[in-house]
Amino acid sequence: MNTPHESAVLVAEEFVALYGREPEGVWQAPGRINLIGEHTDYNDGFVLPVALPHAARVAVARRDDGRVRVHSSQGDGVVVEFTVDSMAPGSVEGWAAYPAGALWVLREEGHAVPGIDLHLDSEVPFGAGLSSSAALQCAVLLACDELLGLGIERPRLARLAQRAENDYVGAPVGVMDQTASLCCTEGAALFLDTRDMSQRQVPLDLAAGGLVLLVVDTRVEHGHADGAYRHRRAGCERSADLLGVKALRDVDVEAADGAALDALLARLPEEELRRLTRHVVTENARVLAAERLLAAGELRALGPVLTAGHASQRDDFAISCPQSDTAVDTALAHGALGARQTGGGFGGCVIVLTEPVRVAGISAAIEAAYAAEDGWNAPAFFTATPAPGARRLG
């Protein structure tokens, strides 16, 4: 993988080759992994993501004719063109809907968006649950914010990116991915309260603790805009309504344990609602526990929290898949301290907390387990290091 500077030079050169002029700047926004806190963000809950070195980058230059041209190195080679005035939801489809949505939401907020040329390139694997779409939109939004002098604070910019994906692209995502991409800092996990957007950086020095975070790409693509994601979100909202709270975040996560949690769940009329609610309530408690462990430097104790989170995704929220379960079970059987699926679910990536000496053995065992199954793609691996959030490169 190129350095950020090398990548910025490359993206700028590609911009010149495409449009015949120099860009006014290059911006990047990273993908993310989530240590813990799945499907809690749209329930006003807590999350604990980490930015990755893998990033989406955009070279940008303004135009004076109201036209927009967008191109992606990961696209079909076509430069997609439209006008600023024509950017209604549904008017731009496919990958180009993401940058179009970013421009659209700024206009919806009352900002004057001129014509613009954009060239995009991304190292964030698409469909792997590492927030490739949020990285792309955040790079475009930050570029426009700084280039146009809008002065939008980053938590607000994250909300705009969420709205663009919700209302323009049509994916009912929460705000975690966008906030992680914009607000994470190097060497830390971001503890975020998605209700009031308060946040704090929690040091995450894995090397000092003699640990690494291995990321296993199951090579099973997932999608946020499908019915399964919407169905679970609707179920959470219905549960909150039946329990008489604004969101499932409002269930006391510290007290909702054992008999207290069972009594709470008994108030819900359907088993599916009980399972969805149990996951969100206990997942919020796991985020709080994980944040305390990181703050205390007790990194090894994070392992069982991660593994419990995977069991909850698998058994209660039902968003796991055979490839994710196999990666988790195999990693644990070969000495990992903890493992779980990360991201929205239905595929994507698994994170494994382990000692460096075990990485090769765990990776080989997962590869062998996948090879033994008919029709499974071979997994891919990399280790995650907490990286900076979105920024201008040049």
Side-chain angles (χ1 to χ4, degrees), residues 86-317:
S86 69
M87 293 187 301
S91 63
V92 181
E93 299 180 341
W95 67 266
Y98 290 94
L103 301 176
W104 169 83
V105 79
L106 289 175
R107 278 175 55 94
E108 287 290 294
E109 288 289 301
H111 300 294
V113 177
I116 199 165
D117 285 337
L118 302 99
H119 169 60
L120 300 151
D121 190 21
S122 181
E123 301 158 343
V124 187
F126 177 77
L130 301 178
S131 190
S132 59
S133 59
L136 189 158
Q137 286 194 315
C138 288
V140 173
L141 280 168
L142 184 63
C144 290
D145 174 69
E146 295 189 358
L147 197 59
L148 302 176
L150 303 180
I152 303 172
E153 294 186 355
R154 293 202 175 196
R156 178 59 186 161
L157 210 58
R159 284 293 190 195
L160 295 182
Q162 179 197 14
R163 183 185 174 195
E165 194 152 0
N166 289 170
D167 297 345
Y168 198 93
V169 179
V173 298
V175 75
M176 174 185 68
D177 296 350
Q178 300 84 356
T179 308
S181 189
L182 287 161
C183 300
C184 277
T185 61
E186 188 171 10
L190 178 71
F191 178 80
L192 172 67
D193 181 336
T194 64
R195 170 165 286 173
D196 62 13
M197 296 298 285
S198 62
Q199 53 186 260
R200 58 181 174 272
Q201 307 292 336
V202 187
L204 179 60
D205 191 344
L206 293 164
L211 299 172
V212 295
L213 199 61
L214 176 67
V215 180
V216 184
D217 185 349
T218 68
R219 308 297 288 276
V220 178
E221 289 192 7
H222 77 145
H224 277 153
D226 63 10
Y229 189 101
R230 294 178 185 276
H231 178 76
R232 282 157 180 77
R233 180 165 184 166
C236 292
E237 291 168 353
R238 184 177 174 216
S239 291
D241 185 59
L242 289 168
L243 293 172
V245 294
K246 180 182 178 182
L248 291 180
R249 141 70 177 276
D250 294 306
V251 175
D252 186 346
V253 296
E254 301 291 358
D257 188 21
L261 179 56
D262 290 341
L264 175 86
L265 297 177
R267 294 165 54 190
L268 297 171
E270 300 169 19
E271 175 59 23
E272 182 183 32
L273 297 181
R274 290 191 283 272
R275 287 192 292 102
L276 295 177
T277 301
R278 180 166 50 231
H279 168 75
V280 174
V281 172
T282 59
E283 187 80 343
N284 274 321
R286 283 186 287 271
V287 176
L288 295 175
E291 190 273 336
R292 289 193 293 267
L293 291 171
L294 292 187
E298 299 178 19
L299 300 184
R300 298 179 72 87
L302 183 64
V305 180
L306 302 183
T307 304
H310 183 76
S312 184
Q313 291 183 87
R314 181 192 63 216
D315 300 335
D316 282 335
F317 224 68

Side-chain angles (χ1 to χ4, degrees), residues 38 48 76 78 137 149-150 229 319 335 366 369:
E38 302 301 355
L48 195 63
D76 55 10
V78 175
Q137 286 194 315
L150 303 180
Y229 189 101
I319 56 170
I366 293 173

Side-chain angles (χ1 to χ4, degrees), residues 33-35 50 52 54 130 204 206-207 210-218 302 306 324 327-328 330-332 334-342 348-367 379-386:
I33 56 170
N34 190 22
L35 285 179
V50 173
L52 290 170
H54 306 70
L130 301 178
L204 179 60
L206 293 164
L211 299 172
V212 295
L213 199 61
L214 176 67
V215 180
V216 184
D217 185 349
T218 68
L302 183 64
L306 302 183
S324 294
V328 168
T330 303
L332 294 173
H334 286 78
L337 297 174
R340 74 175 194 89
Q341 181 179 261
T342 186
C349 287
V350 164
I351 56 173
V352 179
L353 183 68
T354 189
E355 298 158 336
V357 296
R358 297 187 183 273
V359 167
I362 289 171
S363 300
I366 293 173
E367 284 182 327
F381 305 89
F382 65 90
T383 55
T385 303

Side-chain angles (χ1 to χ4, degrees), residues 25-52:
V26 176
W27 286 260
Q28 77 167 26
R32 63 95 191 97
I33 56 170
N34 190 22
L35 285 179
I36 196 77
E38 302 301 355
H39 293 265
T40 51
D41 57 349
Y42 57 77
N43 287 291
D44 282 2
F46 310 107
V47 293
L48 195 63
V50 173
L52 290 170

